[in-house]
Amino acid sequence: MTPKEMWMAYKKINPEISDEFDAWAFGVSADDLANLVVRGEKTATASAYELYKLENEPLPQAGSFDVILDSQDRAVCIIEITKVSVLPFNQVSSDHAFKEGEGDKSLSYWKRVHQEFFTKCLAEAGLEFSSETGVVLEEFRKVYPLD
């Protein structure tokens, strides 16, 4: 299903939503992470704050909806963002790490894989990672499909 097809199907049960929507895939292991969202095991994500600033892109907003894509840009599900915050990397909580649903769901696992990912992404933009690097933390709930 294309992102637009999924959005229009969801719009039939939630007609108040806008015709505008964002569609995106997770940066690493898009299929695995999208499947965690579908199963309800992943209800949060994190991204590098500096990249939003660099690209002059607005931060995600609570109450907005996004189409989650797989690695082939096919729509997998729709989420509603419920909370957005920005914290230094070294202040991310074990609660957030658990909500991300990855690996063993521990903070140590989260820090290891996210430090590696952020280091790579920031380096590509000519920036350096540190324990003080800002992280955009999003929490969300799957709203479609309703299975």
Side-chain angles (χ1 to χ4, degrees):
M1 180 178 285
T2 69
K4 182 155 183 78
E5 289 169 341
M6 182 172 279
W7 188 255
M8 296 312 291
Y10 181 58
K11 198 165 171 65
K12 289 179 183 173
I13 62 172
N14 187 2
E16 298 83 34
I17 60 171
S18 167
D19 289 332
E20 304 287 320
F21 64 93
D22 286 328
W24 51 271
F26 291 100
V28 173
S29 304
D31 295 334
D32 293 336
L33 297 181
N35 285 332
L36 288 176
V37 174
V38 169
R39 294 196 313 258
E41 294 179 41
K42 182 172 183 61
T43 60
T45 194
S47 49
Y49 178 64
E50 290 299 320
L51 297 179
Y52 284 91
K53 288 182 11 184
L54 187 67
E55 296 168 8
N56 201 23
E57 186 176 321
L59 291 180
Q61 297 294 310
S64 63
F65 298 84
D66 293 334
V67 177
I68 301 299
L69 306 175
D70 66 12
S71 62
Q72 304 299 309
D73 290 333
R74 293 179 299 236
V76 175
C77 64
I78 297 175
I79 60 168
E80 178 183 12
I81 299 171
T82 58
K83 182 179 177 183
V84 179
S85 56
V86 179
L87 289 174
F89 182 86
N90 62 7
Q91 291 182 24
V92 173
S93 70
S94 58
D95 182 54
H96 182 83
F98 182 83
K99 289 176 181 176
E100 288 222 20
E102 300 171 35
D104 65 3
K105 301 182 184 179
S106 70
L107 182 58
S108 61
Y109 177 87
W110 184 92
K111 282 186 173 183
R112 183 172 49 80
V113 298
H114 283 80
Q115 180 174 341
E116 182 180 308
F117 178 68
F118 292 153
T119 297
K120 179 182 174 197
C121 291
L122 290 168
E124 289 172 0
L127 302 169
E128 288 186 19
F129 172 84
S130 82
S131 64
E132 296 293 321
T133 294
V135 180
V136 179
L137 304 174
E138 294 176 65
E139 294 183 25
F140 53 81
R141 65 186 184 99
K142 183 183 77 155
V143 296
Y144 189 83
L146 301 171
D147 48 21

